[in-house]
């Protein structure tokens, strides 16, 4: 019997959890333009979006807006989904890694308010892009 080795975790992702959303391709493109114009990373924009969405409910920022590194995916940018669940067909995935404790606070808020995390990202992003 062979025991599989522990998966290697990049140092920048230790103690972090991924937060993702599947959004309309046009919104993802507008988000990338928004980020480029302001010299922000996608992680920063997602954090700003979530914080904007929860502020409507009278809650302070849940995710820290910080830049540990700025990486633009050149080789394999997200593609429009054509497989998987029907609800995700025609969408693009955006994701970022955040501190596990922050994501747990977001999950608790999401559960308490019965608002999916994906909707918080989408709603906050719509507010950011409208401003």
């Amino acid at each position: 019997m062979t025991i599989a080795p522990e998966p290697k975790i990049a140092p920048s992702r230790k103690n972090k959890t991924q937060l993702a959303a599947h959004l309309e391709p046009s919104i993802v493109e507008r988000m990338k333009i928004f980020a480029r114009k302001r010299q922000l990373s996608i992680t920063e924009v997602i954090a700003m979006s979530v914080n904007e969405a929860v502020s409507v409910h009278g809650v302070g920022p849940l995710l820290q807006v910080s830049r540990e590194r700025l990486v633009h995916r050149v080789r394999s940018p997200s593609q429009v989904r054509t497989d998987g669940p029907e609800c995700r067909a025609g969408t693009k995935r955006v994701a970022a890694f955040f501190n596990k404790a922050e994501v747990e606070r977001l999950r608790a808020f999401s559960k308490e308010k019965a608002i999916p995390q994906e909707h918080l990202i989408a709603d906050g992003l719509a507010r950011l892009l409208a401003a």
Side-chain angles (χ1 to χ4, degrees), residues 15-129:
N15 299 316
K16 296 199 174 183
T17 300
Q18 190 176 58
L19 186 59
H22 292 83
L23 307 169
E24 293 294 321
S26 61
I27 294 173
V28 174
E29 294 310 314
R30 287 179 50 213
M31 175 178 144
K32 289 179 180 180
I33 291 167
F34 177 89
R36 266 187 246 120
K37 282 184 179 178
R38 289 162 181 79
Q39 297 182 337
L40 299 169
S41 67
I42 296 301
T43 302
E44 290 170 305
V45 176
I46 291 174
M48 291 167 61
S49 299
V50 168
N51 292 338
E52 180 68 28
V54 299
S55 72
V56 172
H57 299 278
V59 176
L62 294 178
L63 298 178
Q64 181 180 356
V65 180
S66 65
R67 177 181 307 195
E68 292 182 16
R69 62 189 191 145
L70 181 59
V71 177
H72 293 289
R73 290 178 70 179
V74 177
R75 280 196 251 159
S76 60
S78 64
Q79 302 294 315
V80 176
R81 290 193 59 134
T82 57
D83 61 345
E86 189 176 317
C87 63
R88 293 188 177 159
T91 62
K92 277 189 166 185
R93 184 174 188 271
V94 293
F97 283 86
F98 294 95
N99 179 289
K100 284 183 180 180
E102 293 175 359
V103 174
E104 286 305 315
R105 284 196 310 265
L106 175 60
R107 286 186 178 146
F109 173 85
S110 178
K111 189 174 181 179
E112 176 188 325
K113 299 291 184 182
I115 304 170
Q117 295 171 42
E118 190 167 61
H119 290 195
L120 291 171
I121 294 170
D123 294 346
L125 189 55
R127 294 172 62 89
L128 278 179
L129 296 176

